[in-house]
Each structure stands twice: as C-alpha cells, then as structure tokens.
Amino acid sequence: MDSVEPADTEPVRSGGAREAESSYVWLMVLAVFGVFMAIVTPMAISLAIRVDQLAPGHEEYLGYITGAGGLTAILTAPLFGMLSDRTRSRLGRRRPLLIAGTVVGLVALLVMALADGVLVLALGWMLAQVGWGTILALLTASQADRLPEAQRGKVAALTGVVQQLAPVSGALLAGALSGSSLLMFLVPGAVGAVSMFFFVRFVHEPDSRDMPLPQERLDLRTLTASYVFDPRRSPDFAWNWLGKFLFMFGLTLTSTFTAFFLASRMGVSVKEVSGTVAVLGGAGIGATMLGAIGGGFLSDKLRRRRVFILIGACVFATGAITMALAPTLPVIIAGAVLGNLGLGLFATVDQAIMLDVLPERETSAGRYAGIYGFSTTLAQGVAPLAAPVVLLLGGDGSDKNYTLLYFMAATLTFLGGLVIATRIKSVR
C-alpha cells in the first residue's frame, strides 16, 4: 500500500485551470461513499428500527431525534470549518480534523447501537452529526481548495452518484444485520472509517505551518461571525443557500419517514420493510446515476447550470406527487425512480453552483462550506420536527396523513429549484 503515490492536490487558486489528479478525484468519491454510508444508513433505516425497539408506537420520536441531530450539525459545521481554515500543521489544514471527526463518528455509532433508551439514542445521533457531519463539510472545503471550474460538475456528478448508492448499500446491510443492533450501526461505520483512512493516507495536503493566519483574532466575536455572512456582499451564494434549503426541507419531510410510510401503505411492521426500503432505493439507482452524471457532465460541457437545477426540481416534485397518490407498491417504486432522477440532477448541479459562487475561496473555504451546509442541516433539523404535525393533520392518531406530507415535499422542492434558476445571476 505504501507504493501508492499520494494524490497531488496543490490548491487551485482563483482563476486557475489546473485540473486535480484522477487519484484525488477517486479518493474523494470513495470518501464520500463511506461517510454517507456511515451517516445516512441510520437515518434511512437503523434509527427507525431502534426507535421501534425502544419506544413502540411512538414513531414521532424519530423526527425529534433526527431534528436534534440536524440542529447539532448547524452549531458545529461552520465552527469546525473555520477552525480548519486556521489550522497550521504538518498534515495541512483539513486532515487533522478529518481524523478527529472519524473517531468521534465511530464512537457515536457505538453509543446508538448500545443505547438503552430514546434519550441516549438521541445523544448518539447528535454526536454522529458532529463527527461525520464535520467530515462532509471538510470534504466540500477540500473540493473548493482544489477543483477548477471545469471539473466541478464532473466531480459533483461522481460524488452525487455515490451519495445515492451509499444509503441503498447501507439499507441492504442494515436489513441483513437487523438482528444485531451493534453490527447494524458499526458495519456501515467501519466502511466510513476505512474510506477516510485511504483519503487521509493518500491525499497529500501541503504543510500549512508557514501559511499566514487571518488578520482577525480568534475570539468570541470571530467564532460568532463564523456562523453568518452578509447576503448583500454575496447575493448569489445567499440565493443558492435558500434554494438548497427549500429543496432539502421537502426531501427530508419524506426521506425521514420512508420506512414508516411503506409500513403504513403495505400494512406491515417497520422491521419488515427494511428489504423493501433497499428495493425502493435499488430501483432508483439507474435513475440517480442518469440524473447525476448527465446533469454534472452536461453542465460542465454546456457551461449552463441553472436550467438543470429547475428540471431536477420539477422531476423530483413529480415523483413525490406520484408516491403521495400511489395505490400499490409498483406505483410507489415508479415515484421513487422519478424522485431519484430529480434528486441526482438537482444535487449534482447545485454542488457545482455552490463551488462556483463560494465567497473568499482561498482563505475561508472551510467556513463558507460549513455555512452552505446549513442549508442541508437546518432543513434536516427543522423538517423532522414539522413532519409529525403534518402527519397528524386530517389523521386520527393511528392513520397518519402521508399524502399531505408528500404533497408538501413536492411544493417545497419545486420552489427551491425555482429560486436558484431565477435569482442567481453570475452562473448561467
């Protein structure tokens, strides 16, 4: 393994055209796959199974737990992103916190696996968001450091594909290991840890000890400022943030309760739908790959991004409406395929747009990557808290209103695409 050459990943300066080495690209893809498997598998199925085990009949607890985790990520991602911008070490700026995040993430999965109550389960999920959530923000910052504009759509396409493959793989694993809470959490976590080992080991990052520090002192005011930015100075970044938030809010309304939605429509227990969740995800793999790769590569080639964003949002909304009205499992699968196509297209091109409009790229990429992550983590924190209220509207307590939930998801995702497509001016 020592014979493998470290990826040459000197930062790309503003306006630079130097492409990142293929080794860096594929190590990034592997890292994103592993981290997503570690953090999304619990959200997709493992947490639902544990909630059903610890508090049967109280599926609303899942929304509270995932919401608490999302709010935790909101408080930590920009902070650690800013600290990585200021890190001066032989290992560079990003790698020390990538290592620490992996350790914290593994501990968190162990806590959730061994939890003896809902409160401990919630604390474990909050800790997981600190660890794995920080890693995701720093991987985004690494892309901002190194990828020129001509590569951003392609790399976003490849990472977008594995972001969809990871939950499917994780659901298959969780379903096979559902008899063991320990293995159900730790096996996906092990995949994440191994992928991060390869990234940290083989992606070379220059020694940052001689880099100048920002002029601002690291004090309480600076820490507080790391959570906000001035939309007037970076309007395109602000509009992109809002559009992504609306889209992720709608997506999270449905994705958090997929297992319970299927159990309700199929008339079975939550534990019995783990295989169906995997089938549902597997049916959309081809569509996700088509959306992500098609959108990412074409947006680079045509140098147009906004039109792909709007198409992706419309396709996802159509899929959500189809699922809301689906009378049978085949129609549910058809809706999921449409949703995956739209999600792959939207998420890939949005990632490229974010890198295009990122403010202060050379000095504060980590901070702004963390702030951009707010658009996802805030949505993932608030949407699960709002979803139980929506589910009770028009229901009788035991019969939840999933139809209304999916219609709301369709509306919000369409609005998110519309905001980005019509308000951003510096990207075509």
Side-chain angles (χ1 to χ4, degrees):
M1 190 172 291
D2 289 338
S3 63
V4 177
E5 290 295 325
D8 182 7
T9 56
E10 288 290 333
V12 174
R13 300 303 178 192
S14 180
R18 181 170 177 263
E19 291 197 349
E21 296 288 333
S22 60
S23 55
Y24 170 78
V25 172
W26 291 112
L27 286 166
M28 173 63 71
V29 170
L30 176 65
V32 171
F33 174 82
V35 175
F36 260 76
M37 179 176 281
I39 196 170
V40 178
T41 300
M43 185 178 293
I45 186 66
S46 303
L47 276 174
I49 292 175
R50 290 293 284 143
V51 168
D52 196 49
Q53 291 171 344
L54 296 172
H58 292 281
E59 60 198 65
E60 69 274 11
Y61 289 174
L62 178 62
Y64 302 145
I65 291 171
T66 54
L71 293 174
T72 301
I74 288 171
L75 296 176
T76 56
L79 173 62
F80 287 117
M82 185 269 290
L83 291 177
S84 76
D85 290 333
R86 291 171 170 266
T87 297
R88 299 296 178 262
S89 75
R90 181 177 61 83
L91 296 177
R93 293 186 296 170
R94 314 298 180 197
R95 286 197 287 179
L97 283 175
L98 288 174
I99 295 169
T102 302
V103 174
V104 171
L106 286 174
V107 171
L109 294 176
L110 182 63
V111 170
M112 287 188 286
L114 300 178
D116 59 359
V118 172
L119 180 59
V120 176
L121 187 65
L123 291 174
W125 181 240
M126 292 165 67
L127 191 62
Q129 288 287 350
V130 173
W132 300 114
T134 295
I135 291 174
L136 288 174
L138 294 181
L139 290 177
T140 301
S142 176
Q143 293 177 50
D145 291 340
R146 291 160 170 77
L147 295 179
E149 183 178 352
Q151 267 187 308
R152 291 168 191 163
K154 299 179 182 70
V155 175
L158 295 172
T159 57
V161 167
V162 299
Q163 285 175 26
Q164 301 308 308
L165 292 175
V168 175
S169 303
L172 286 169
L173 273 177
L177 302 171
S178 59
S180 170
S181 296
L182 191 63
L183 294 178
M184 185 171 61
F185 282 95
L186 291 188
V187 172
V191 174
V194 170
S195 71
M196 286 310 303
F197 167 79
F198 281 106
F199 188 85
V200 171
R201 170 65 179 82
F202 294 114
V203 171
H204 173 70
E205 188 177 354
D207 189 323
S208 63
R209 287 176 291 184
D210 294 331
M211 292 180 65
L213 285 167
Q215 294 182 350
E216 299 89 351
R217 294 179 56 188
L218 186 58
D219 53 22
L220 182 60
R221 184 188 65 82
T222 305
L223 292 175
T224 303
S226 68
Y227 291 89
V228 296
F229 71 101
D230 188 349
R232 295 170 299 180
R233 294 181 58 186
S234 307
D236 283 351
F237 180 77
W239 285 120
N240 191 53
W241 190 100
L242 178 60
K244 181 65 177 294
F245 169 79
L246 290 171
F247 188 93
M248 292 305 301
F249 196 106
L251 172 65
T252 307
L253 284 177
T254 59
S255 62
T256 303
F257 289 88
T258 297
F260 288 112
F261 166 71
L262 290 172
S264 174
R265 290 294 169 92
M266 296 170 62
V268 298
S269 70
V270 173
K271 190 172 183 179
E272 291 176 291
V273 302
S274 59
T276 307
V277 170
V279 170
L280 203 64
I285 288 178
T288 303
M289 293 178 65
L290 179 63
I293 293 179
F297 280 68
L298 282 175
S299 70
D300 275 355
K301 183 177 180 62
L302 301 177
R303 296 186 179 181
R304 292 183 179 274
R305 306 214 195 272
R306 292 185 295 168
V307 64
F308 292 104
I309 282 287
L310 187 57
I311 293 172
C314 289
V315 172
F316 183 91
T318 302
I321 292 172
T322 301
M323 294 182 73
L325 301 176
T328 62
L329 183 59
V331 181
I332 290 175
I333 293 174
V337 169
L338 280 175
N340 277 313
L341 176 64
L343 174 60
L345 179 54
F346 180 96
T348 295
V349 181
D350 180 77
Q351 176 82 0
I353 289 178
M354 184 277 293
L355 294 175
D356 289 343
V357 301
L358 193 71
E360 302 177 33
R361 182 187 314 279
E362 294 184 12
T363 58
S364 301
R367 174 195 167 200
Y368 281 99
I371 291 175
Y372 171 75
F374 272 179
S375 60
T376 296
T377 53
L378 184 59
Q380 291 175 340
V382 177
L385 299 177
V389 177
V390 177
L391 289 172
L392 293 175
L393 293 176
D396 60 6
S398 60
D399 185 19
K400 304 299 190 298
N401 196 345
Y402 287 104
T403 300
L404 177 60
L405 190 73
Y406 276 75
F407 268 103
M408 286 191 64
T411 301
L412 289 168
T413 51
F414 171 73
L415 288 176
L418 191 64
V419 166
I420 294 174
T422 59
R423 302 302 301 179
I424 291 180
K425 303 303 181 184
S426 64
V427 177
R428 296 180 67 184

